[in-house]
Each structure stands twice: as C-alpha cells, then as structure tokens.
Amino acid sequence: MSNENNGHLDDEWKKKFFRTYFGIDVDKETFNKCLDYKNNHIPDSLFKYSKVKNVISLLSDDLMFLPKIEDLNDPFECNIFYDLDILLDKLIDNLDKFIDYSEFWDETISDDESVFISEFLKQSLKEPLEKILSKWENTLKNKTSVICLTEDYCITPLWAHYADNHKGVCIEYDFENISNLMIEDLCFPIEYVEESDNTWELSALFDDTIETNPNWQLRLALRKSYNWKYEKEWRIILDKAMLNKESK
C-alpha cells in the first residue's frame, strides 16, 4: 500500500498506469506488473460519504453500498463516445469479407456505382448500428456495479452532495491491512479526461486488423470528465457474473 498522504497522490503514476494497463499489446507479465504497481499506490485509507440512515444499516449488516453504473448521478457514466460516420465507413469497407458480390452482378462496378452503393449502405445501416451500440451500452451499465470511494475526507462538495448537506458521515476503510487480494485487484483510481472517444475500439468490431486492449470496456467505468476531478475517486468494479458467483 501507499505511504503517501491521502488526497495528495501524484497524478503522474496514474497516467503511467492507465497508459500501460490499457495499452495495445500488453502481455500477461506486463499486465500483472501493472496491477502490482497500481496496488502499491492504493491509499492506506479510502473514504465513503453517506447519509447517517444509510450507514447504520450498512454497518450493522457489514455491507457496502453497491449501485449499478446506471444508478449513479453522472448521466455520462460508462457512455460510449464515437464518430458514427467513421464506424459506418469501417463496417462497409469490411463487408466484402462477408458478402460475395459476384452473386449479385457479373460486371465490374464503376466508381460512381461504388459511391452510390456505399452511401446507400451507410443510410441503411445507420439506425440499426446506433440501436445496437445503444443496447450494448445499456447492457454494460446494467451489469456493472461499483463501490465509489475517495482519497480525502475533507472535500466540501462531497459533504454537501453525498452526506446529507454536511449532516451525514464519512466512513474510513482501512486498505493498509486488507487481506482480500481480489479487492485490491478490482480497486482502481478514476481517470479524469477532457474528452473521451471510443471510435477506435469500436472499429475493431468490424476490422480485425485494428488492435485494441481487451480491457477497454473496463476503462469506460473508470473514465470521467475532468470536471469531476475534485472528487479524487477510486472504484471497486464488479460485474453481475462475478456477483452471482460470489453469492452462491
């Protein structure tokens, strides 16, 4: 665990972690080293702001509040941002892998005909593709649950937003002596960004020459607008399959 002062962790190690952990061509050894590197920077304590009535029930039953992504207060949580035109171009460019055009015509297609066909396909596929991506995004939000924590117990806006207008409490969780290694591996800092774009990762769905990191969907749950940076948030990420397995 980290011996640095809570609330004053250096952002540079986080940038290095995200750049490497979610990079392309990350082998298993590098992946494990990244996890160890991140785990060594988890603060000795993380905090949870809450209303008093919520804390009493949680502590009495030795539980933690575990909302789904879709129930959090940021409407852009886990949203997929993309350029639809680029995705459609990628999809159409790769249709020849699945369609044998010789079954439909024998003659060579002219450039004008090719442009017409491409535009026709783009218009035909636009709405179905948007619906598919929207459904996939909603499924991801529904199956992902998070425990939201922070590095600091003295953040005034958090006392107002999450602790009943300063009438609530702030719980301290001891991560220095944690014995559950799974919790360590599932605990991540939030990556605050000016903007987010997942066009490249989504393009890999249609183009197998594009390399992406298999963990990029996890990154969706860890990436928030720079406007939230004051929260200094960490999250323990769990999916529905993992929760069902643990409950058996």
Side-chain angles (χ1 to χ4, degrees):
M1 296 295 178
S2 170
N3 289 319
E4 300 176 70
N5 291 329
N6 292 331
H8 299 87
L9 296 175
D10 186 1
D11 285 342
E12 289 306 311
W13 80 261
K14 295 177 184 176
K15 292 178 183 178
K16 180 180 178 180
F17 166 73
F18 281 112
R19 185 170 58 247
T20 306
Y21 188 78
F22 293 106
I24 297 174
D25 290 333
V26 180
D27 56 42
K28 187 174 182 179
E29 182 180 0
T30 302
F31 177 82
N32 290 331
K33 285 182 178 179
C34 277
L35 276 182
D36 289 340
Y37 178 70
K38 181 266 298 178
N39 291 347
N40 288 332
H41 283 82
I42 296 177
D44 293 343
S45 294
L46 287 171
F47 303 90
K48 178 73 176 179
Y49 295 80
S50 181
K51 297 179 179 178
V52 173
K53 64 178 182 179
N54 294 341
V55 170
I56 293 174
S57 60
L58 290 174
L59 294 182
S60 62
D61 295 324
D62 195 22
L63 299 173
M64 294 185 76
F65 183 49
L66 192 64
K68 296 177 183 176
I69 285 283
E70 62 183 357
D71 296 326
L72 299 180
N73 61 349
D74 181 358
F76 300 107
E77 288 279 3
C78 226
N79 276 14
I80 307 169
F81 297 96
Y82 55 87
D83 186 315
L84 185 60
D85 286 332
I86 293 177
L87 291 182
L88 287 168
D89 286 339
K90 281 291 182 184
L91 175 58
I92 292 168
D93 287 344
N94 285 273
L95 280 179
D96 57 356
K97 297 178 181 178
F98 312 101
I99 300 176
D100 183 2
Y101 294 106
S102 64
E103 295 182 6
F104 304 98
W105 54 77
D106 298 324
E107 300 179 1
T108 303
I109 302 174
S110 68
D111 290 341
D112 287 342
E113 289 173 328
S114 179
V115 171
F116 174 80
I117 293 172
S118 293
E119 287 303 314
F120 173 77
L121 289 173
K122 284 182 71 171
Q123 292 304 315
S124 301
L125 294 171
K126 182 177 181 179
E127 184 175 346
L129 182 57
E130 285 184 309
K131 287 183 177 179
I132 290 171
L133 293 176
S134 177
K135 184 176 181 179
W136 181 71
E137 179 183 82
N138 290 333
T139 299
L140 185 64
K141 291 182 179 182
N142 180 262
K143 75 174 187 177
T144 305
S145 295
V146 296
I147 298 172
C148 301
L149 304 167
T150 177
E151 300 171 9
D152 198 335
Y153 59 86
C154 289
I155 304 176
T156 301
L158 298 192
W159 278 104
H161 297 159
Y162 305 115
D164 198 18
N165 260 337
H166 300 261
K167 296 189 291 289
V169 298
C170 183
I171 307 171
E172 179 179 2
Y173 291 97
D174 179 10
F175 277 76
E176 183 178 12
N177 300 304
I178 193 169
S179 59
N180 191 326
L181 296 181
M182 185 187 76
I183 294 297
E184 273 194 340
D185 287 348
L186 298 176
C187 186
F188 295 87
I190 288 295
E191 179 185 24
Y192 297 102
V193 296
E194 295 290 351
E195 60 182 18
S196 185
D197 186 358
N198 307 112
T199 304
W200 177 262
E201 291 89 351
L202 291 172
S203 296
L205 298 174
F206 318 121
D207 188 346
D208 56 14
T209 66
I210 295 177
E211 296 183 24
T212 61
N213 186 292
N215 295 306
W216 75 270
Q217 295 179 49
L218 168 64
R219 197 173 194 175
L220 293 176
L222 298 174
R223 181 174 278 181
K224 295 189 67 172
S225 166
Y226 200 81
N227 294 327
W228 295 91
K229 185 175 174 63
Y230 69 89
E231 290 193 339
K232 303 177 183 178
E233 186 177 353
W234 285 68
R235 286 182 175 176
I236 297 174
I237 308 290
L238 298 163
D239 63 33
K240 186 179 294 184
M242 184 181 299
L243 291 172
N244 290 338
K245 182 178 180 181
E246 289 295 316
S247 63
K248 293 179 179 179

